[in-house]
């Protein structure tokens, strides 16, 4: 590798490190990673930039080509070698496609991804992640009995006296008849994104609120969604708006499954949190 190649690859590393820093400073990283990993992106970006700058300032080159030729004297005969030919062969063997192709194959996809990626899943993508399916949630086997007093102590209320319940908790409750009796007909408030409802919505009175769950990054994401039932068809707020939905929590049986359902009294747009992900425990 020549000094020029070293500098070019150092520049490439610096660009990649800069992209990581860009994702961190513009907060685009929050759409892909759990908050605990955000600082690692910054640290990794700084490390890659340091490596790239070092390669730019301290290039190395390999000019020697040792083919291991030795001169032997056999019966007094000196076997000569055509070093010019060997040098030409050496040069030919070290030739490749050059750094230009590497830059094109590396930077064009990177630039395209930065420009065209919307930092969110489409409705089709959310559907594949389980938006309209029953989430695979398992309540702890050793969970202690839950009482109305526990509800009052553990779950906060909003200014209107509605319990600020998570979507995950609503699914844990469904199916446990004893605990369900505590939550059934409870005034609650859910927070999440609102989308159209595509299942069990023959009259068009329903929409769906959902939250995304991750362990570390968007690659392992799953979606938890709950149906919202209105008194009439409603398109306000628009789909994908971050909302707070208030109403009465009920439960229904759908194809043998016990599912939570919110009978809506009010849905209002609200400020999106720093990270919309729920972390799996």
């Amino acid at each position: 590798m020549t000094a020029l190649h070293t500098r070019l690859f150092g520049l490439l590393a610096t660009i990649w490190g800069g992209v990581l820093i860009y994702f961190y400073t513009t907060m685009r990283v929050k759409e892909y990673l759990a908050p605990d990993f955000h600082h690692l992106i910054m640290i990794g970006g700084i490390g890659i930039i340091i490596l790239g700058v070092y390669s730019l300032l301290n290039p190395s080159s390999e000019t020697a080509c040792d083919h291991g030729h030795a001169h032997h004297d056999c019966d007094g005969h000196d076997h000569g070698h055509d070093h010019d030919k060997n040098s030409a062969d050496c040069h030919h063997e070290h030739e490749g496609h050059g750094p230009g192709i590497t830059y094109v194959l590396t930077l064009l996809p990177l630039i395209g991804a930065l420009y065209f990626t919307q930092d969110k899943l489409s409705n089709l993508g959310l559907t594949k992640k389980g938006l309209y399916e029953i989430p695979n949630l398992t309540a702890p086997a050793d969970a202690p009995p839950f009482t109305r007093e526990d509800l009052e102590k553990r779950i906060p209320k909003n200014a209107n006296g509605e319990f600020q319940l998570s979507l995950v908790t609503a699914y844990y409750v469904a199916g446990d008849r004893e605990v369900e009796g505590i939550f059934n007909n409870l005034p609650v408030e859910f927070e999440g994104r609102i989308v159209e409802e595509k299942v069990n919505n023959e009259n068009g009175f329903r929409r769906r609120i959902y939250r995304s769950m991750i362990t570390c990054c968007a690659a392992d994401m799953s979606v938890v969604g709950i149906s919202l039932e209105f008194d009439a068809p409603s398109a306000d707020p628009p789909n994908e708006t971050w909302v707070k939905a208030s109403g009465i929590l009920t439960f229904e049986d759908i194809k043998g499954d016990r599912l939570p359902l919110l009978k809506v009294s009010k849905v209002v747009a609200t400020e999106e949190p720093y990270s919309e992900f729920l972390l799996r425990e």
Side-chain angles (χ1 to χ4, degrees):
M1 181 180 291
T2 66
L4 176 60
H5 288 181
T6 302
R7 284 195 172 98
L8 289 175
F9 286 115
L11 178 61
L12 187 62
T14 304
I15 292 172
W16 269 99
V19 169
L20 294 181
I21 298 297
Y22 161 76
F23 265 82
Y24 179 82
T25 56
T26 60
M27 293 295 104
R28 288 183 69 175
V29 67
K30 69 185 179 69
E31 307 298 338
Y32 299 92
L33 289 175
D36 290 346
F37 295 89
H38 292 183
H39 293 307
L40 296 179
I41 291 295
M42 179 187 66
I43 294 171
I46 293 174
I48 294 174
I49 289 175
I50 292 174
L51 178 63
V53 171
Y54 178 84
S55 297
L56 287 171
L57 298 179
N58 299 278
S60 61
S61 62
E62 298 178 5
T63 57
C65 183
D66 182 10
H67 288 275
H69 295 290
H71 295 269
H72 301 281
D73 185 7
C74 299
D75 296 330
H77 298 284
D78 184 17
H79 297 272
H81 296 272
D82 187 349
H83 290 282
D84 290 338
K85 181 178 182 301
N86 288 337
S87 297
D89 291 342
C90 174
H91 175 70
H92 177 75
E93 290 172 1
H94 286 201
E95 286 181 350
H97 53 63
I101 298 299
T102 301
Y103 266 76
V104 170
L105 295 178
T106 303
L107 293 182
L108 283 184
L110 176 63
I111 295 170
L114 286 172
Y115 183 78
F116 291 106
T117 300
Q118 298 181 6
D119 300 331
K120 64 179 181 180
L121 289 177
S122 64
N123 188 267
L124 177 60
L126 290 169
T127 301
K128 292 180 178 180
K129 290 290 187 178
L131 175 59
Y132 299 105
E133 300 174 3
I134 301 173
N136 184 19
L137 301 172
T138 303
D142 57 350
F146 192 86
T147 65
R148 178 73 187 202
E149 289 73 22
D150 293 324
L151 174 68
E152 296 284 350
K153 290 178 181 178
R154 299 179 187 178
I155 300 180
K157 297 180 180 180
N158 62 16
N160 297 321
E162 298 163 331
F163 290 93
Q164 296 173 312
L165 203 65
S166 75
L167 304 182
V168 174
T169 300
Y171 268 106
Y172 279 142
V173 170
D176 187 329
R177 298 290 180 170
E178 182 177 348
V179 179
E180 183 183 308
I182 300 172
F183 286 83
N184 194 32
N185 294 319
L186 194 72
V188 302
E189 177 189 82
F190 290 137
E191 184 175 1
R193 290 197 185 278
I194 192 168
V195 293
E196 61 182 321
E197 178 62 280
K198 294 184 177 181
V199 296
N200 306 313
N201 190 27
E202 290 77 10
N203 59 11
F205 285 16
R206 292 189 176 189
R207 298 180 74 184
R208 178 164 286 250
I209 189 171
Y210 75 89
R211 292 291 301 266
S212 301
M213 295 178 60
I214 62 172
T215 300
C216 68
C217 62
D220 61 46
M221 184 180 76
S222 60
V223 178
V224 178
I226 287 180
S227 285
L228 308 176
E229 186 171 80
F230 295 78
D231 294 332
S234 173
D236 186 47
N239 287 335
E240 295 300 332
T241 302
W242 193 266
V243 301
K244 289 184 178 181
S246 300
I248 301 299
L249 178 64
T250 62
F251 299 88
E252 61 180 351
D253 292 304
I254 302 293
K255 298 179 180 179
D257 295 310
R258 191 72 170 165
L259 303 177
L261 170 68
L262 183 69
K263 294 188 175 181
V264 174
S265 60
K266 181 176 63 174
V267 176
V268 295
T270 188
E271 183 179 355
E272 183 178 337
Y274 169 76
S275 175
E276 65 175 88
F277 293 129
L278 298 173
L279 298 181
R280 294 190 185 92
E281 298 180 357

